[in-house]
Amino acid sequence: MLKILKEIFLPDINKANNQFSDISKHQIATCALLLEVANADDEFTDAEKEKIIEIMQSSFNLTKEQVSELMILADQSLEDSISLYEFTDILNNNFDHSEKKEILKNIWRLIFADNHLHEYEEYFVRKISKTLNLYHQDFIETKLQVKEELGI
């Protein structure tokens, strides 16, 4: 498993045989952020797991099985990581402002999956927003848009 992760995050190791595309790196980075937020309150509920699967399927056109594998890779990446910056850096280098705002919306959708906003979850989404180089206005706007979308 570590070999696969090294190939993903350190593509210079074996460029010729690198079996993962940049999209895969984006998927792992996005999934890792979602997992980190879901675990922020020390309760990873079934509703949150299902919401991550739904978000990853709709965002990247993946099957449930692909998302399950991706969640395992993302979880392992989180265990081996030093900070969230490792994941947001991948997204900052490859996504534009609107794509990063969509990630933030998906994070809010995940947070509200259990109909409860925990202070640690809000802390993490604020931290992610800053490391994605989004404005405070984006943070507030995406939160309000998702609340309206969900009728909260």
Side-chain angles (χ1 to χ4, degrees):
M1 173 105 41
L2 288 175
K3 180 182 176 196
I4 292 171
L5 293 172
K6 285 180 182 176
E7 289 175 356
I8 293 169
F9 288 106
L10 302 171
D12 293 335
I13 289 176
N14 193 358
K15 282 186 180 179
N17 293 322
N18 189 357
Q19 59 184 322
F20 297 98
S21 68
D22 287 338
I23 297 297
S24 296
K25 293 174 201 171
H26 303 155
Q27 293 168 348
I28 290 172
T30 302
C31 191
L33 294 178
L34 293 169
L35 287 171
E36 189 69 13
V37 170
N39 287 302
D41 62 358
D42 293 325
E43 283 188 51
F44 186 40
T45 66
D46 288 339
E48 290 170 324
K49 181 179 180 180
E50 288 304 313
K51 184 51 94 172
I52 291 173
I53 291 169
E54 177 187 317
I55 289 169
M56 294 304 295
Q57 283 180 306
S58 65
S59 296
F60 296 104
N61 197 27
L62 301 171
T63 66
K64 193 169 186 173
E65 293 77 27
Q66 290 170 316
V67 174
S68 294
E69 291 175 18
L70 190 58
M71 288 175 74
I72 293 168
L73 284 173
D75 190 51
Q76 183 64 48
S77 297
L78 280 168
E79 287 180 25
D80 297 338
S81 72
I82 296 170
S83 72
L84 294 176
Y85 178 77
E86 296 173 43
F87 306 107
T88 57
D89 187 50
I90 291 169
L91 301 176
N92 280 327
N93 288 327
N94 297 285
F95 284 0
D96 65 23
H97 184 260
S98 64
E99 291 169 317
K100 293 187 290 185
K101 276 181 68 174
E102 191 59 35
I103 290 170
L104 200 59
K105 280 185 190 178
N106 282 329
I107 290 171
W108 283 118
R109 289 176 182 118
L110 171 62
I111 287 172
F112 292 123
D114 61 2
N115 296 316
H116 177 70
L117 175 59
H118 192 278
E119 65 187 61
Y120 293 139
E121 291 173 326
E122 186 157 13
Y123 166 78
F124 272 108
V125 72
R126 189 176 302 274
K127 185 175 181 178
I128 290 167
S129 176
K130 286 180 183 177
T131 59
L132 285 174
N133 301 320
L134 294 171
Y135 303 110
H136 182 69
Q137 176 183 346
D138 297 324
F139 172 83
I140 299 298
E141 180 182 300
T142 55
K143 179 180 181 181
L144 294 175
Q145 287 173 343
V146 170
K147 286 180 86 170
E148 182 179 332
E149 171 186 307
L150 299 175
I152 298 175

